[in-house]
Amino acid sequence: MAVGVLGDLQTSLRSIAQKARPQSSSPFKAVRKAIVADRAEYAKDTGFPIKPQRIVWDLREVLGPEDIAISDVGAHKMWMSRMYKAERPNTCIISNGFAAMGIAVPGAIAAKLAYPHRKVVAVTGDAGFMMNSQEIETALRMKTSFVVLIWNDSEYGLITWHQMRHFGRPSHIEFKNPDFVKYAESFGAKGYRVQRAEDLLPMLKEAIAQDTVVVIDCPVDYRENMKLTAKLKEMRSPL
Ligand SMILES: Cc1ncc(C[n+]2csc(CCOP(=O)(O)OP(=O)(O)O)c2C)c(N)n1
């Protein structure tokens, strides 16, 4: 049954919350269970390039409950929104709706200006990063320190994912990146490159402790994308 509610948003939501009772059975329970299992299964995966699940896990490990992750737009956003366990409201900011790529670096500057005492990580694809990476200059000039975690696949990962789902093959999605470490250093920021799965956690820990902008070039294994599509199809069919 669908019911319309007309009223002040805050008052209406409060009243609904007071009346609402948890459902004993929900189709989302199975989805949640699968997400939790998936996250745990890959937490210590040593495959390289790194699986998206492990990147999200390691990021969650280093950030405190009040710290802020800003996601750009792309396949990485799908993994962040699916698996990043936000502990407090507004600690995982995701560009949805218009879904404009390039939000992560300027978003991190804004988050750091608003909350100077919290750690901030800009989570971004390589293409989205290259759309607004010049703002590293702004970040350093404004003395905002944060980490930029680039999920590097030298592709428009999400577009590849869509093309594979619809047409079974990708087209015109590859590109070449600059050397992100040298690129970061050319601004006066720091640059790290992940070369083994085990590197990421200590590298993230070191990076968020720095009082500057640190760019981490992290190769990602997006073969997991289509595996997730297949898994979701399997889960949907019995409903
Ligand atoms: C400004 C803008 N241009 C194009 C798009 C369409 N678009 C959505 S995701 C994507 C590819 C993102 O690639 P990348 O930043 O490398 O992230 P990945 O998907 O590889 O994680 C594109 C082109 C968009 N959302 N915003």
Side-chain angles (χ1 to χ4, degrees):
M1 188 177 64
V3 198
V5 177
L6 188 65
D8 171 68
L9 190 59
Q10 199 180 19
T11 318
S12 306
L13 286 177
R14 282 234 168 85
S15 316
I16 292 169
Q18 272 163 11
K19 289 200 167 32
R21 294 285 165 270
Q23 281 193 355
S24 52
S25 74
S26 152
F28 296 112
K29 272 199 173 159
V31 177
R32 185 168 190 285
K33 216 170 144 191
I35 292 173
V36 171
D38 207 14
R39 199 168 38 203
E41 188 183 341
Y42 291 99
K44 297 284 169 247
D45 188 276
T46 52
F48 192 81
I50 309 186
K51 293 198 175 48
Q53 299 93 323
R54 173 146 195 192
I55 302 180
V56 177
W57 181 279
D58 284 359
L59 180 65
R60 182 64 281 183
E61 289 279 287
V62 297
L63 288 181
E66 298 284 347
D67 293 337
I68 301 171
I70 314 270
S71 178
D72 213 84
V73 178
H76 60 284
K77 180 176 97 171
M78 302 302 145
W79 288 102
M80 281 293 289
S81 37
R82 189 172 165 77
M83 299 204 147
Y84 186 80
K85 202 171 159 222
E87 303 282 357
R88 305 270 198 280
N90 292 328
T91 53
C92 181
I93 310 288
I94 295 183
S95 172
N96 234 343
F98 281 138
M101 288 166 70
I103 186 247
V105 173
I109 297 173
K112 196 67 192 175
L113 287 173
Y115 297 101
H117 301 299
R118 297 195 198 173
K119 303 289 185 194
V120 173
V121 176
V123 176
T124 179
D126 39 10
F129 173 69
M130 288 309 289
M131 285 186 176
N132 269 330
S133 56
Q134 73 280 10
E135 297 305 334
I136 290 175
E137 187 279 333
T138 313
L140 293 172
R141 185 162 33 83
M142 305 290 288
K143 301 204 184 318
T144 49
S145 55
F146 54 84
V147 175
V148 183
L149 180 60
I150 305 174
W151 298 37
N152 187 344
D153 65 335
S154 296
E155 281 188 11
Y156 295 118
L158 184 64
I159 307 303
T160 309
W161 197 350
H162 286 320
Q163 290 178 345
M164 290 302 290
R165 282 177 44 236
H166 291 289
F167 312 115
R169 68 181 175 89
S171 171
H172 298 87
I173 36 67
E174 290 173 346
F175 53 84
K176 280 209 177 83
N177 283 308
D179 181 326
F180 287 128
V181 174
K182 285 189 187 152
Y183 185 67
E185 288 168 354
S186 71
F187 284 96
K190 290 194 175 167
Y192 300 162
R193 179 166 296 116
V194 180
Q195 277 162 334
R196 299 174 319 148
E198 300 88 318
D199 289 347
L200 181 59
L201 188 65
M203 219 171 246
L204 275 168
K205 277 187 187 156
E206 193 185 318
I208 61 166
Q210 310 267 338
D211 201 14
T212 186
V213 173
V214 182
V215 174
I216 301 181
D217 177 2
C218 179
V220 60
D221 184 354
Y222 273 152
R223 283 175 306 181
E224 288 300 308
N225 296 350
M226 284 304 285
K227 288 188 201 162
L228 177 62
T229 297
K231 218 184 261 183
L232 292 177
K233 244 187 215 157
E234 252 173 52
M235 288 179 66
R236 244 196 332 255
S237 46
L239 292 178

